[in-house]
């Protein structure tokens, strides 16, 4: 970022001087743990604290010695893109015993460590809380043994604990997402997308088994993201007779011309009587009852591996910073907390309460209180389940309400990955609400030309994973053609509009709103879904397509940085899209570990550029021999990408050389990420429900 005093003002009252913080990863590994470790180390060092790695989790804490090592700024470089945990993780039986925790306490006191940041699951966090509660007693015992001096009891009187949840299952209550979940979804969807092409070729049914022994989040969200025909999860076992219903659904899908079926099974799926539903059982069932060519794919530990997604890197980095802030603000009486994601914010919640709530979910499932188990999983899980049921299972025509309303859907502006998922969701929810759905090709240009046709349930099958805009999209605004658009709306009797797009979509609806005074046809419910890679739409934290673009940028940055491996010192200048919005450059810079990010919102001058060059010059004198600088395309009219490249090249002579890359439209292309598929699907369903509500509220005597 350009050099300002913003961060100094923000942290001016925070001081970690004299404090020692230790960070460890425990239990199962998850992608993004390294980003969390990096954030804890660098934030700790930034505020003046000493920071230590504890290698191999609680086992390293018990064994001590070389397992507890002081961290430096450079020691966490090049960690962001690495999966798993580079400081190691192990399950430790010894720490569960009093003697093991006594050894761990001694090892921490020797180094003056009284602040512990634990990254793991509920078992790891429960162990940390028990350790904290026993701390004063353990120190007294160590004094009695003569292992530490009596004054150490006073000096190190309290152990402060902050937890971060690293688990691909997303099975911890109190947080919307755990570190690693999004990356695991990436692995699953990559496999599903690949399988769908071969399944279509041979008209096959595929049964995919994903992880989730006690939590069906991965199965549910991947089913939502790929439009699976059936999903089986532990929190909501199917009703008796589900086998017949599933086979009827698969058969009906094939009869409409679909050449494949996808069934997703969580490894912990059971029926209502507690009997396990395995992927092989489902396969045999389909073969026996329908005769479909069926295959099973068990994903296994591939879901834990690979590079962390942009979302997980950002989530873990934000959580790591918040964890250090929490440790700096603790007092002797502050209870242990866990850093969670609530909406789009990092929050601190009481650790013990979250652990107890997580255990309550399993208790509810054991007692067959499945509705309660789903409710305890949280609002996000409930919304996912509700949306999946709404979109996956079509009601018979006889059961559908008949509203006699016509709703038009169109895309406006530049294409964004996830638009097609949003259209599919809108069409299917609209049909379920009893509306007749119309698709408009090529935005408002197609609207005034009459490129409008009815779209059916089956027409949007398989759209979820498609990139770009299958309806077509143009940047044309409606102002010059409102008369022709009003005429088309009269012709097709359009009662509501759903516009999916970026800033152009917002401007378009404002123009139609202003045209209400002249044309009665626009006095109808109109709703906009934000879809643009730039994430520049007012009123929304996120837009459809931004996550996919971020992943494209971060993946490219990883490859570019790797290209310099083993070569001489090199700095890369990379230009991102975003117009006058610096979201992509800023957040990609955070996820890729950039040294600087130049954006329109934060003005910079030649002195800032000079300071960044000097920073990189100093950096190159260490073992780190690669630099990364991101520039938003419209950040400054004069300090162009070429100018910055030439400046860095000239000023870095003899120290480093430079390369530049303009990423261009590759940021708009590709298949949508799991996040964008899920986000587009859910907000589109919500939008159509709002449209239906408004239509019913405002419809009077055949007019709205």
């Amino acid at each position: 970022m350009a050099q300002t005093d913003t961060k100094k003002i923000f942290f001016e009252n925070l001081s970690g001087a004299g404090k020692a913080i230790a960070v460890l990863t425990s239990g199962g590994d998850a992608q993004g743990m390294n980003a969390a470790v990096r954030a804890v180390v660098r934030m700790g060092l930034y505020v003046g604290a000493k920071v230590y790695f504890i290698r191999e989790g609680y086992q390293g804490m018990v064994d001590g010695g070389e397992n507890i090592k002081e961290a430096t700024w450079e020691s966490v470089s090049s960690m962001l893109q690495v999966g798993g945990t580079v400081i190691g993780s192990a399950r430790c039986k010894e720490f569960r015993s009093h003697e093991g925790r006594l050894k761990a306490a001694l090892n921490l006191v020797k180094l003056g460590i009284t602040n512990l940041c634990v990254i793991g699951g509920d078992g790891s966090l429960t162990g940390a809380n028990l350790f904290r509660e026993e701390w004063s007693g353990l120190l007294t015992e160590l004094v009695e043994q003569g292992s530490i001096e009596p004054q150490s009891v006073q000096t190190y009187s309290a152990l402060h604990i902050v937890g971060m949840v690293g688990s691909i299952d997303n099975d911890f209550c109190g947080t919307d997402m755990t570190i690693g979940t999004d990356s695991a979804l990436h692995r699953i969807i990559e496999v599903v997308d690949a399988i769908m092409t071969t399944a279509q070729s041979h008209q096959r049914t595929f049964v995919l088994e994903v992880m989730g022994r006690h939590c069906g989040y991965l199965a549910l969200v991947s089913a939502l993201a790929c439009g699976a025909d059936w999903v089986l999860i532990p929190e909501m076992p199917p009703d008796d007779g589900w086998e017949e219903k599933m086979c009827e659904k698969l058969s009906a899908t094939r009869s409409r011309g679909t050449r494949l079926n996808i069934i997703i099974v969580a490894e912990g799926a059971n029926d209502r009587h507690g009997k396990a539903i395995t992927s092989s059982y489902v396969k045999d069932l389909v073969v026996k009852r329908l005769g479909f060519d069926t295959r099973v794919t068990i994903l296994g530990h591939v879901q834990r591996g690979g590079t962390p997604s942009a979302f997980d890197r950002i989530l873990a980095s934000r959580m790591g910073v918040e964890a250090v802030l929490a440790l700096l603000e603790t007092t002797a009486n502050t209870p242990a907390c866990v850093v969670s994601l609530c909406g789009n914010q990092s929050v601190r919640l009481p650790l013990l309460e979250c652990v107890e709530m997580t255990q309550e979910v399993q208790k509810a499932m054991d007692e067959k209180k499945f509705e309660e188990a789903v409710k305890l999983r949280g609002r996000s899980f409930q919304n996912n389940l509700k949306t999946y049921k709404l979109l996956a299972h079509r009601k018979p025509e006889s059961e559908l309400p008949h509203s006699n309303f016509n709703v038009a859907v169109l895309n406006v502006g530049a294409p964004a990955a996830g638009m097609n998922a949003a259209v599919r969701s809108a069409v299917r929810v609209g049909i379920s609400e009893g509306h007749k759905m119309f698709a408009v090709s090529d935005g408002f240009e197609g609207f005034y030309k009459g490129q409008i046709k009815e779209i059916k349930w089956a027409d949007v099958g398989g759209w979820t994973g498609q990139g770009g805009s299958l309806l077509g999209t143009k940047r044309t605004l409606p102002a010059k053609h409102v008369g022709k658009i009003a005429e088309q709306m009269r012709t097709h009797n359009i009662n509501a509009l759903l516009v999916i797009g970026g800033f152009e979509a917002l401007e378009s609806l404002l123009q139609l709103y202003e045209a209400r005074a002249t044309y009665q046809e626009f006095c109808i419910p109109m709703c906009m879904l934000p879809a643009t890679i730039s994430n520049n739409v007012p009123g929304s934290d996120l837009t459809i397509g931004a996550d996919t673009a971020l992943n494209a940028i971060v993946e490219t940055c990883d490859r570019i940085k790797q290209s310099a491996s083993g070569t001489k010192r090199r700095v890369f200048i990379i230009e991102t899209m975003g117009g006058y919005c610096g979201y992509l450059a800023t957040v990609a810079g955070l996820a890729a570990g950039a040294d600087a990010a130049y954006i329109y919102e934060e003005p910079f001058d030649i002195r800032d550029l000079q300071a960044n060059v000097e920073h990189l010059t100093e950096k190159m004198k260490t073992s780190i021999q690669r630099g990364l600088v991101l520039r938003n395309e419209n950040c400054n009219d004069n300090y162009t990408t070429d100018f910055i490249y030439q400046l860095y090249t000239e000023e870095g002579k003899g120290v480093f050389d430079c390369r530049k890359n303009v990423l261009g439209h590759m940021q708009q292309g590709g298949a949508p990420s799991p996040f964008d598929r899920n986000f587009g699907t859910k907000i589109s369903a919500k939008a159509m429900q709002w449209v239906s509500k408004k239509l019913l509220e405002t419809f009077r005597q055949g007019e709205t």
Side-chain angles (χ1 to χ4, degrees):
M1 207 53 89
Q3 301 298 308
T4 70
D5 292 330
T6 308
K7 64 182 181 180
K8 293 178 182 176
I9 294 167
F10 186 74
F11 298 126
E12 66 180 345
N13 296 321
L14 295 174
S15 174
K19 293 196 175 187
I21 300 170
V23 57
L24 70 132
T25 53
S26 178
D29 67 312
Q31 307 97 318
M33 279 184 165
N34 290 324
V37 170
R38 174 181 178 270
V40 170
V41 169
R42 292 198 166 175
M43 185 61 189
L45 293 173
Y46 180 82
V47 297
K50 275 190 174 183
V51 187
Y52 292 85
F53 294 131
I54 300 180
R55 300 187 182 278
E56 311 305 333
Y58 287 118
Q59 189 65 57
M61 193 190 296
V62 171
D63 294 342
E66 287 297 308
N67 289 305
I68 306 176
K69 193 172 182 181
E70 190 170 350
T72 63
W73 191 277
E74 289 76 21
S75 63
V76 291
S77 293
S78 304
M79 280 175 62
L80 271 171
Q81 69 271 24
V82 181
T85 165
V86 298
I87 60 173
S89 179
R91 303 184 192 278
C92 179
K93 287 184 180 179
E94 199 173 352
F95 189 76
R96 296 177 188 172
S97 68
H98 181 78
E99 292 74 17
R101 292 192 290 275
L102 192 66
K103 288 181 185 177
L106 176 60
N107 289 326
L108 294 187
V109 169
K110 282 179 180 177
L111 294 168
I113 298 169
T114 56
N115 298 280
L116 207 56
C117 185
V118 181
I119 307 166
D122 60 333
S124 303
L125 300 181
T126 303
N129 192 61
L130 175 63
F131 190 40
R132 173 186 168 276
E133 289 173 350
E134 291 183 348
W135 181 257
S136 58
L138 293 171
L139 294 196
T140 302
E141 203 171 328
L142 289 170
V143 170
E144 290 170 357
Q145 291 178 359
S147 300
I148 61 174
E149 296 296 325
Q151 60 265 32
S152 296
V153 177
Q154 185 65 34
T155 307
Y156 309 115
S157 58
L159 178 67
H160 307 297
I161 301 286
V162 173
M164 286 183 277
V165 189
S167 166
I168 67 165
D169 293 334
N170 200 28
D171 56 355
F172 192 82
C173 292
T175 184
D176 290 346
M177 287 283 273
T178 56
I179 296 167
T181 304
D182 188 69
S183 299
L185 284 170
H186 273 258
R187 301 294 93 80
I188 295 168
I189 294 303
E190 284 164 11
V191 171
V192 173
D193 285 351
I195 279 174
M196 286 177 84
T197 56
T198 182
Q200 198 160 21
S201 300
H202 298 278
Q203 296 192 62
R204 281 181 177 149
T205 295
F206 268 86
V207 183
L208 273 82
E209 183 180 303
V210 302
M211 283 186 168
R213 194 175 302 122
H214 303 295
C215 179
Y217 185 89
L218 288 179
L220 177 59
V221 176
S222 56
L224 193 60
C226 72
D229 297 283
W230 204 267
V231 65
L232 295 157
I233 59 173
E235 290 89 347
M236 189 53 71
D239 295 324
D240 292 342
W242 66 272
E243 295 95 338
E244 188 65 35
K245 289 178 183 176
M246 183 185 75
C247 290
E248 285 175 4
K249 169 80 179 352
L250 299 180
S251 183
T253 304
R254 287 290 181 97
S255 68
R256 290 194 293 268
T258 304
R259 294 175 59 86
L260 76 155
N261 300 109
I262 299 290
I263 302 166
I264 296 182
V265 183
E267 62 178 329
N270 296 304
D271 65 16
R272 292 266 163 179
H273 308 287
K275 181 185 175 184
I277 301 174
T278 63
S279 50
S280 57
Y281 174 77
V282 175
K283 175 205 167 186
D284 294 341
L285 184 70
V286 174
V287 171
K288 182 180 177 182
R289 298 205 181 187
L290 299 175
F292 291 171
D293 185 4
T294 307
R295 299 286 190 273
V296 171
T297 298
I298 299 173
L299 270 65
H301 282 75
V302 71
Q303 296 159 86
R304 285 193 188 277
T307 300
S309 66
F311 182 94
D312 271 331
R313 299 186 200 192
I314 296 156
L315 174 66
S317 297
R318 290 175 62 190
M319 283 185 168
V321 169
E322 188 65 29
V324 173
L325 296 178
L327 287 172
L328 293 179
E329 294 168 10
T330 54
T331 64
N333 300 319
T334 305
C337 74
V338 60
V339 178
S340 301
L341 180 71
C342 184
N344 197 31
Q345 301 297 318
S346 293
V347 297
R348 305 170 201 171
L349 299 175
L351 189 151
L352 210 53
E353 285 182 23
C354 293
V355 169
E356 287 171 356
M357 198 185 301
T358 303
Q359 293 167 349
E360 283 294 317
V361 178
Q362 188 58 49
K363 184 182 175 185
M365 288 194 286
D366 292 340
E367 295 174 357
K368 296 184 170 54
K369 298 177 181 176
F370 301 115
E371 297 284 348
E372 186 181 334
V374 169
K375 191 176 179 181
L376 286 167
R377 280 283 180 225
R379 189 177 58 184
S380 176
F381 192 93
Q382 291 178 76
N383 288 341
N384 285 324
L385 185 58
K386 182 181 176 183
T387 307
Y388 176 76
K389 286 179 177 179
L390 199 62
L391 299 176
H393 306 294
R394 184 184 183 184
K395 293 178 183 177
E397 293 286 340
S398 57
E399 294 181 22
L400 290 175
H402 294 285
S403 68
N404 295 320
F405 291 126
N406 295 342
V407 182
V409 183
L410 66 155
N411 296 333
V412 176
M419 275 183 164
N420 298 320
V423 172
R424 169 185 175 269
S425 179
V427 169
R428 292 195 169 180
V429 173
I431 291 171
S432 298
E433 298 275 337
H435 309 319
K436 189 179 281 189
M437 300 301 295
F438 287 83
V440 182
S441 300
D442 298 332
F444 282 106
E445 185 174 314
F447 209 136
Y448 80 79
K449 290 179 179 178
Q451 294 170 213
I452 306 167
K453 65 176 183 179
E454 188 179 353
I455 187 165
K456 302 283 190 179
W457 183 283
D459 294 337
V460 291
W463 280 34
T464 312
Q466 299 288 321
S469 168
L470 293 174
L471 286 184
T473 181
K474 295 282 181 73
R475 294 181 183 271
T476 307
L477 298 177
K480 294 180 180 179
H481 311 284
V482 285
K484 291 181 179 179
I485 292 170
E487 185 182 335
Q488 291 296 337
M489 291 182 75
R490 279 195 303 274
T491 303
H492 294 89
N493 191 28
I494 302 299
N495 305 114
L497 273 182
L498 182 66
V499 182
I500 304 168
F503 207 81
E504 292 91 347
L506 182 66
E507 199 172 346
S508 296
L509 283 194
L510 287 173
Q511 290 178 0
L512 294 183
Y513 175 77
E514 290 169 358
R516 282 178 170 177
T518 311
Y519 298 95
Q520 191 180 2
E521 288 78 9
F522 300 127
C523 298
I524 59 172
M526 296 187 288
C527 185
M528 176 210 165
L529 290 186
T532 168
I533 69 167
S534 302
N535 197 24
N536 62 350
V537 178
S540 178
D541 286 348
L542 291 168
T543 58
I544 299 166
D547 184 73
T548 305
L550 271 178
N551 278 286
I553 295 167
V554 169
E555 185 180 338
T556 305
C557 287
D558 288 347
R559 292 185 179 188
I560 286 171
K561 285 167 71 176
Q562 193 177 42
S563 72
S565 180
T567 66
K568 59 183 179 180
R569 300 177 180 92
R570 183 164 289 168
V571 174
F572 295 95
I573 315 294
I574 297 176
E575 182 184 299
T576 68
M577 280 182 160
Y580 291 97
C581 178
Y583 177 83
L584 288 180
T586 303
V587 183
L590 177 61
D595 296 279
Y598 301 116
I599 60 173
Y600 180 78
E601 294 88 341
E602 194 170 38
F604 59 96
D605 57 26
I606 195 68
R607 290 181 294 275
D608 298 315
L609 293 171
Q610 181 183 356
N612 291 146
V613 171
E614 289 171 358
H615 157 73
L616 284 165
T617 303
E618 287 300 313
K619 177 182 174 179
M620 294 299 172
K621 293 176 182 176
T622 67
S623 58
I624 309 166
Q625 299 192 349
R626 286 169 291 178
L628 182 67
V629 176
L630 297 185
R631 179 188 177 274
N632 165 239
E633 59 184 346
N634 289 337
C635 68
N636 191 291
D637 291 337
N638 298 310
Y639 300 136
T640 62
T641 302
D642 283 333
F643 176 88
I644 293 173
Y645 163 69
Q646 289 166 5
L647 176 69
Y648 274 62
T649 301
E650 181 63 30
E651 296 299 319
K653 273 185 180 176
V655 181
F656 59 81
D657 65 355
C658 270
R659 296 290 185 273
K660 66 174 178 178
N661 291 83
V662 178
L663 300 185
H665 283 77
M666 58 84 66
Q667 297 161 84
Q668 282 184 339
S673 68
F675 182 92
D676 276 330
R677 299 183 195 197
N678 191 14
F679 182 51
T681 298
K682 288 199 291 187
I683 66 168
S684 186
K686 187 101 173 173
M688 276 308 304
Q689 288 169 337
W690 178 86
V691 166
S692 298
K693 182 183 175 185
K694 290 299 173 186
L695 282 169
L696 292 172
E697 283 178 1
T698 60
F699 192 73
R700 295 288 182 273
Q701 299 177 348
E703 295 181 351
T704 51

